[in-house]
Amino acid sequence: MSQSQGRQRRTVAAAAFAAVVGLGGVVAASAWSRPIAQPEAADGGSAGSTGAAGGTAGSTGGGAMREARMHVGATDPESTVRFEVVLKVPGRAELDRFLAGLTDPASPEFRHYLHPDEFGARFGLSDAQIGRVEAWLQGAGIEIVGRDRERTHLRVRGTVARVNALLSVQLQDHIDATYGAYHAPDRAPRIPTAMRDAVEGVAGLDTTPQMRPMFRPPLADVPIGGLKPNDVALAYDIAPLRAAGLD
């Protein structure tokens, strides 16, 4: 195996590691700064959602933040928004065992790293299950932009009016004195019961600006002991994997 092939397989293994680190909490979203909302519970409560981080002026923090952010009004219903539909990872138990075996010399999985397609086929939803999610979205007028090879999320877009109707939310516009305009849903999105066996939640509807470091050192390779969640989020476009419950 060449050095570049070895590096590719190791980086995919790190992505798999991030999948299990993230399965359990609502912590991030695409671009590593957008909260991910899980389906609202049947009783109307939130099933682990972060809610609308920018739902009211200053809802994210102290007095200075309240002065810096202002609610403008409902987002233009004819404007287009992009977001991600986060998919369930049905092979989580097997994934746990696989990841444990990667570093166990006694395991047949020891250093048996996977390519993205292999990861998706082994741990992700079936084509039929993903097709059902896509049909649900397309039936509501939402366009499918792309599907990741690991089968962890769908990239989609649609008009605000259609997104509001699909998820039972109302997107609201806000202005941050430093970072400008952004939007956020006014409540936790609702995923139909029939879709909850395949859909974990949505990411990217809340574009509230988040504080981030000005500099992060580049990653050369996977270090001994693996990567920390933030390192993985920086290296790969897999933040939607971190959608299901990590505090």
Side-chain angles (χ1 to χ4, degrees):
M1 179 185 299
S2 69
Q3 182 177 1
S4 62
Q5 289 173 321
R7 181 176 294 109
Q8 181 183 20
R9 285 182 175 270
R10 287 192 294 274
T11 55
V12 172
F17 172 78
V20 98
V21 167
L23 287 174
V26 180
V27 293
S30 63
W32 318 298
S33 63
R34 301 179 183 178
I36 293 179
Q38 293 180 317
E40 192 175 64
D43 61 2
S46 174
S49 170
T50 58
T56 60
S59 61
T60 57
M65 187 67 74
R66 282 193 292 273
E67 295 176 3
R69 293 181 177 176
M70 179 178 68
H71 176 240
V72 177
T75 306
D76 178 2
E78 298 304 315
S79 62
T80 298
V81 293
R82 293 172 177 262
F83 62 102
E84 293 84 37
V85 175
V86 183
L87 303 175
K88 295 277 190 180
V89 179
R92 174 175 177 173
E94 182 184 355
L95 178 58
D96 287 340
R97 293 190 292 270
F98 168 73
L99 293 174
L102 282 178
T103 56
D104 181 2
S107 170
E109 302 288 6
F110 182 59
R111 295 183 178 177
H112 182 70
Y113 304 112
L114 302 177
H115 289 288
D117 291 328
E118 294 173 324
F119 179 90
R122 184 168 175 179
F123 305 115
L125 296 173
S126 68
D127 287 336
Q129 290 172 307
I130 296 177
R132 187 164 60 88
V133 176
E134 291 176 332
W136 165 60
L137 294 166
Q138 292 169 335
I142 304 299
E143 179 184 356
I144 309 298
V145 177
R147 178 201 300 185
D148 73 315
R149 293 165 63 188
E150 292 87 356
R151 306 188 187 194
T152 61
H153 69 281
L154 300 173
R155 297 184 301 279
V156 302
R157 66 185 173 200
T159 65
V160 167
R162 288 176 173 173
V163 172
N164 285 346
L166 176 74
L167 300 173
S168 299
V169 299
Q170 292 291 322
L171 287 178
Q172 300 289 317
D173 286 341
H174 307 264
I175 292 180
D176 182 282
T178 301
Y179 299 102
Y182 63 96
H183 61 256
D186 63 344
R187 64 187 70 109
R190 291 184 64 90
I191 304 299
T193 302
M195 291 290 108
R196 292 183 188 176
D197 63 334
V199 175
E200 188 67 56
V202 297
L205 281 183
D206 187 336
T207 61
T208 304
Q210 303 291 316
M211 298 291 290
R212 291 183 291 175
M214 294 295 292
F215 172 78
R216 292 185 182 183
L219 297 175
D221 207 336
V222 180
I224 296 175
L227 297 175
K228 296 180 180 179
N230 287 341
D231 296 329
V232 177
L234 177 66
Y236 310 99
D237 184 19
I238 57 167
L241 283 171
R242 304 172 64 187
L246 183 64
D247 293 329

